[in-house]
């Protein structure tokens, strides 16, 4: 009888601990929130200053990328992900990944926004400047 009581008490304790843990941790999802279409998906802290290359990259980004990825790379619900996100840290998506995405497009793989088309009219130099801008935004937000 005592063994059943002990087993039952152990089960209840483990279940309670599991429930507590579930509600204490953040979900590890990369799916965007179900926000209003086009709304920002991230909050981005802006650096106090940008390097000269990043300033040029910001201008290119605003004319070529912001319609989908949002001003300051905050992403847009239902359209495109934020680029200031841990998924795009340099060790996971290096600079060449951005070059290839702009030149060739990219198949959906981390998010559920669909495939990204190639961006017409950008040179490798243009994309390098955009990457400098994104990397400086990432650094200002603790993504290195």
């Amino acid at each position: 009888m005592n063994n059943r009581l002990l087993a039952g008490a152990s089960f209840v304790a483990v279940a309670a601990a599991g429930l507590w843990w579930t509600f204490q941790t953040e979900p590890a999802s990369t799916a965007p929130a179900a926000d209003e279409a086009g709304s920002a998906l991230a909050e981005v802290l802006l650096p106090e200053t940008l390097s000269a290359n990043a300033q040029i990259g910001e201008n290119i980004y605003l004319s070529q990328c912001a319609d989908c990825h949002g001003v300051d790379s905050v992403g847009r619900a239902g359209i495109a992900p934020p680029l200031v996100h841990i998924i795009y840290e340099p060790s996971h998506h290096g600079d060449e990944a951005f070059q290839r995405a702009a030149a060739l497009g990219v198949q959906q793989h981390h998010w559920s926004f669909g495939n990204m088309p190639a961006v017409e009219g950008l040179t490798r130099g243009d994309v390098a400047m955009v990457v400098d801008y994104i990397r400086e935004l990432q650094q200002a937000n603790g993504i290195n």
Side-chain angles (χ1 to χ4, degrees), residues 25-44:
T25 59
E26 304 244 346
S29 172
T30 58
D35 295 330
E36 183 179 323
S39 64
L41 295 173
E43 291 183 29
V44 174

Side-chain angles (χ1 to χ4, degrees), residues 117-129:
V119 182
E120 298 294 324
L122 291 179
T123 67
R124 285 188 62 84
D126 293 335
V127 176
M129 299 291 180

Side-chain angles (χ1 to χ4, degrees), residues 26-80:
E26 304 244 346
S29 172
T30 58
D35 295 330
E36 183 179 323
S39 64
L41 295 173
E43 291 183 29
V44 174
L45 299 173
L46 301 177
E48 288 185 32
T49 60
L50 292 170
S51 68
N53 285 352
Q55 288 176 30
I56 294 167
E58 179 182 27
N59 289 330
I60 297 166
Y61 177 91
L62 289 171
S63 70
Q64 299 294 317
C65 311
D67 283 351
C68 294
H69 290 285
V71 174
D72 301 323
S73 188
V74 298
R76 295 189 61 211
I79 300 170

Side-chain angles (χ1 to χ4, degrees), residues 2 4 7 9 13-14 19 23 30 41-42 66 77 81 93 97 101-102 105 108 111 117 121-122 136 143:
N2 286 338
R4 282 190 199 172
V14 169
L19 282 172
F23 291 107
T30 58
L41 295 173
H93 281 88
Q108 167 184 303
W111 308 89
L122 291 179
E136 289 185 27
I143 301 169

Side-chain angles (χ1 to χ4, degrees), residues 28-32 80-83 85-89 91-94 97-98 106-116:
S29 172
T30 58
L83 299 174
H85 189 281
I86 194 73
I87 285 177
Y88 300 104
E89 70 182 332
S91 65
H92 186 74
H93 281 88
F98 286 90
V106 65
Q107 287 188 328
Q108 167 184 303
H109 58 287
H110 288 297
W111 308 89
S112 58
F113 294 103
N115 298 338
M116 177 185 148

